[in-house]
Amino acid sequence: MKTTIILIAALLFNTSLLFAESLLVLVKKIDPVVLISIEALLIVLFAAHKFLSGFSKSMKIDFDCLEVFVYKKKRS
């Protein structure tokens, strides 16, 4: 949960740097391609984090009903 919050905050901050006109003065020297590439990287990291956290939750293996060696008594 903490990683998700940090990634969402970074995404929002980077998006605000891209689209906010009032912050243009602060980031005038930064190339927009750099900000767009950081945005893409953050989105990929967020998607990978969500996929892997959901994947690890769904991959719990239950061996309770698995019967590997079953011996039946022979009837005589």
Side-chain angles (χ1 to χ4, degrees), residues 3 7 36 42 48 55 67-68 72-73:
T3 308
L7 284 172
I36 291 171
L42 288 171
F55 184 73
E67 297 178 5
V68 178
K72 293 184 180 179
K73 293 182 180 180

Side-chain angles (χ1 to χ4, degrees), residues 8-20 23 35 39 42-43:
I8 288 174
L11 276 168
L12 290 174
F13 177 71
N14 196 33
T15 305
S16 67
L17 286 178
L18 279 172
F19 296 115
L23 294 176
L35 292 176
E39 186 83 17
L42 288 171
I43 289 172

Side-chain angles (χ1 to χ4, degrees), residues 9-73:
L11 276 168
L12 290 174
F13 177 71
N14 196 33
T15 305
S16 67
L17 286 178
L18 279 172
F19 296 115
E21 298 243 356
S22 62
L23 294 176
L24 184 62
V25 176
L26 297 174
V27 295
K28 205 173 210 176
K29 295 180 182 178
I30 298 175
D31 191 18
V33 174
V34 173
L35 292 176
I36 291 171
S37 62
I38 291 172
E39 186 83 17
L41 177 70
L42 288 171
I43 289 172
V44 167
L45 287 174
F46 179 72
H49 171 70
K50 292 301 275 183
F51 174 75
L52 291 176
S53 66
F55 184 73
S56 66
K57 288 178 186 175
S58 67
M59 290 303 295
K60 289 186 178 181
I61 301 173
D62 184 22
F63 290 113
D64 288 341
C65 62
L66 180 67
E67 297 178 5
V68 178
F69 298 107
V70 177
Y71 295 103
K72 293 184 180 179
K73 293 182 180 180

